[in-house]
Amino acid sequence: INRLQYFPIKSLTIFVFYILFLLLLSDEVFVSLKNTSKVLLSIVFLAVGFVANFKLNQLVMSLLILLIFAFSGSIIGYIFDIGQQNFYGSGEETMGLVQGGNFYPVSISLLFVVHLNLIGYWKSRFSKYIIIVISIATYILILLTLRRTAILLPVVGILAYLFFSGRLSSGVKYIAIIFISLLLSFPLYEDIFLRRFEIREESGRFDSNFYESEARYVTTLRTFEDIFSFKNPSKSLFGKNVFAGGWENGHVDRMYHADHNQLLNTTGIIGSLLYFLIFYQIIIFTMSFKGKELKNIKALIYSLLFILIFISLNGSIFITTFRVTFFLVLGYLMSFLRQKQIALKP
C-alpha cells in the first residue's frame, strides 16, 4: 500500500516550495531562515507521522512519557524552588522546570488520556488511576501558570473530542471527576493561585475591555487593513520578509503574535491560502472515511485541529516542540484511519 497516495502531499509540497522561494527574496534573510526552518521542520512531521510504522501503543506510550515528564519537571521545580520566572513585573515566581508554552504539547497528552479512558484502553485499573491522578495534578500545575492559552487548550481539545465522538453524555462523568478533584485539592495550591491571580488582575488582564488594547487584537485589525486594502499589492499577495514579521533593518519593529497575522504579513494572501489548503485537504481526507468504527479516530483528528486553531490565535507557528508533536500525532492518526478502514473491508 502506498500510504502517500491518500495524503495531501501536493498542497504540502507546493507550500514548502513557495516558502523557499520567498526566502530568497527576504531582506531579513537570517531571521527568515531561522524561523522558516522551524515552520517547515515541524510541518514536515505530518508526512513523517503518516508513513511511520510505529504502533498505537508506541504513540500512547510516547504521549504518556511526555505527560509524566511535564508533571515531574514542574513539581521538582516547586519542591526545590528552581525555575524562576518574572511574573508580570511583580518579581520572581517559582514556576518549575516546565513553564507556560512548554505545557502546550501536554494538551495533546491530556486529550489522549480522556480518549483512552472512554474507549476502555487500560487493562490495569492501577495504571488507569495513576495516569488519571497524574493528569489532574499536571492540569493543576498548568492552572498555576495562569496562562490563558495553556489552561484552555486541553479544555478545547477535550470538549471537541466529546462532541465529535458523540460522547458528551458519558464525558460528563469525567468532567465532574476533574472538577471535584480540582475543588477538593484547592487548599493545597490556594495561596499560590490567589496571589498570582491578583497580580494578573492588577495588570488589567481580566478587564472586560482588555481585548481592545490586547496586542493580538490591535495587530489583527492593522494587518487586515494593511493587507486587504491592497495599498501595496506585492505585499498583499506575497507578503514581505517571510516569517520575519516585525523585523526591520536588523531589529524588531513590532510583534505580529497570532499566526494569521504572521502568515498574512510575511507570506501574503497566496501563502496564507496555501497554508490553509493543507488543513482543508486534511479535513476532506478525514471526512471521506465512513463507519462507526472510525468515529473515535476522526474525533481525535478534529479535536487536534481545534487545538491548533485555538493556539494559533495566541501565536504558535514558531513553537517547534508543540508543532512537531502536533503534526506527528496528526499524521499518524490519518495513517491509522486509512489502515483501519482497509482492515475493516471484507
Side-chain angles (χ1 to χ4, degrees):
I1 297 168
N2 180 10
R3 296 186 180 185
L4 284 175
Q5 180 182 350
Y6 309 100
F7 182 76
I9 190 69
K10 290 183 179 179
S11 56
L12 182 61
T13 304
I14 292 171
F15 176 75
V16 169
F17 277 101
Y18 175 78
I19 295 303
L20 293 176
F21 169 73
L22 292 185
L23 183 60
L24 299 175
L25 306 177
S26 176
D27 295 329
E28 302 289 341
V29 64
F30 293 110
V31 179
S32 290
L33 181 61
K34 181 183 74 172
N35 289 338
T36 295
S37 64
K38 292 179 181 179
V39 175
L40 297 188
L41 172 67
S42 59
I43 206 168
V44 163
F45 269 85
L46 181 66
V48 173
F50 194 81
V51 301
N53 290 317
F54 50 77
K55 307 298 182 183
L56 177 62
N57 287 343
Q58 293 174 306
L59 176 67
V60 169
M61 186 58 62
S62 298
L63 290 173
L64 292 180
I65 290 173
L66 173 64
L67 174 67
I68 294 169
F69 175 79
F71 168 75
S72 304
S74 187
I75 202 70
I76 287 172
Y78 279 98
I79 293 172
F80 296 102
D81 197 29
I82 53 179
Q84 300 289 319
Q85 184 184 41
N86 187 286
F87 194 75
Y88 296 96
S90 66
E92 296 293 319
E93 286 274 343
T94 298
M95 305 298 288
L97 299 177
V98 181
Q99 304 176 5
N102 293 324
F103 276 115
Y104 292 167
V106 179
S107 62
I108 299 175
S109 297
L110 293 174
L111 169 63
F112 265 77
V113 168
V114 172
H115 165 69
L116 295 172
N117 276 285
L118 287 173
I119 66 171
Y121 175 84
W122 309 108
K123 295 179 181 179
S124 165
R125 284 192 175 185
F126 177 76
S127 300
K128 172 182 175 179
Y129 292 133
I130 286 293
I131 294 300
I132 290 175
V133 169
I134 291 176
S135 298
I136 293 173
T138 302
Y139 191 68
I140 290 173
L141 293 169
I142 294 174
L143 282 175
L144 292 179
T145 67
L146 262 73
R147 296 282 294 271
R148 292 166 297 182
T149 303
I151 291 171
L152 292 175
L153 212 53
V155 178
V156 169
I158 290 169
L159 289 179
Y161 172 76
L162 294 176
F163 174 78
F164 286 110
S165 65
R167 297 175 179 270
L168 276 173
S169 56
S170 56
V172 169
K173 177 179 70 174
Y174 289 96
I175 293 173
I177 291 172
I178 294 170
F179 180 77
I180 292 171
S181 300
L182 294 175
L183 197 62
L184 292 177
S185 60
F186 187 66
L188 298 175
Y189 58 92
E190 178 180 7
D191 291 341
I192 299 175
F193 181 83
L194 292 179
R195 182 178 72 248
R196 293 178 180 176
F197 183 87
E198 289 175 3
I199 292 171
R200 291 215 67 178
E201 188 176 36
E202 289 172 0
S203 69
R205 291 276 172 166
F206 301 124
D207 292 348
S208 58
N209 62 343
F210 174 72
Y211 75 93
E212 294 179 1
S213 60
E214 171 75 9
R216 295 170 188 84
Y217 173 78
V218 174
T219 305
T220 296
L221 292 181
R222 291 175 178 171
T223 294
F224 276 64
E225 181 182 356
D226 182 31
I227 298 300
F228 293 105
S229 67
F230 283 89
K231 293 177 182 177
N232 183 339
S234 176
K235 182 179 180 182
S236 294
L237 290 174
F238 304 105
K240 180 182 179 182
N241 298 335
V242 61
F243 295 131
W247 282 79
E248 292 289 344
N249 301 319
H251 68 276
V252 179
D253 181 57
R254 68 172 68 174
M255 295 293 289
Y256 284 132
H257 297 288
D259 290 351
H260 56 268
N261 292 331
Q262 186 70 228
L263 284 163
L264 283 169
N265 276 288
T266 70
T267 71
I269 295 173
I270 293 176
S272 300
L273 289 176
L274 290 175
Y275 179 77
F276 291 117
L277 178 62
I278 297 171
F279 297 99
Y280 170 75
Q281 290 196 323
I282 290 172
I283 293 172
I284 296 300
F285 173 92
T286 306
M287 291 177 64
S288 67
F289 295 93
K290 309 297 181 181
K292 292 182 179 180
E293 299 85 354
L294 306 175
K295 192 172 184 178
N296 290 329
I297 304 301
K298 292 172 67 175
L300 281 173
I301 292 174
Y302 294 141
S303 303
L304 286 175
L305 293 175
F306 265 81
I307 285 176
L308 183 68
I309 291 170
F310 186 78
I311 196 176
S312 294
L313 298 176
N314 184 63
S316 69
I317 202 161
F318 302 140
I319 304 178
T320 311
T321 50
F322 167 76
R323 288 173 66 86
V324 165
T325 306
F326 171 86
F327 283 114
L328 187 64
V329 174
L330 180 61
Y332 170 79
L333 289 175
M334 291 171 66
S335 175
F336 186 72
L337 191 63
R338 176 63 189 167
Q339 295 306 306
K340 193 158 186 177
Q341 187 187 59
I342 291 174
L344 290 171
K345 284 185 178 180

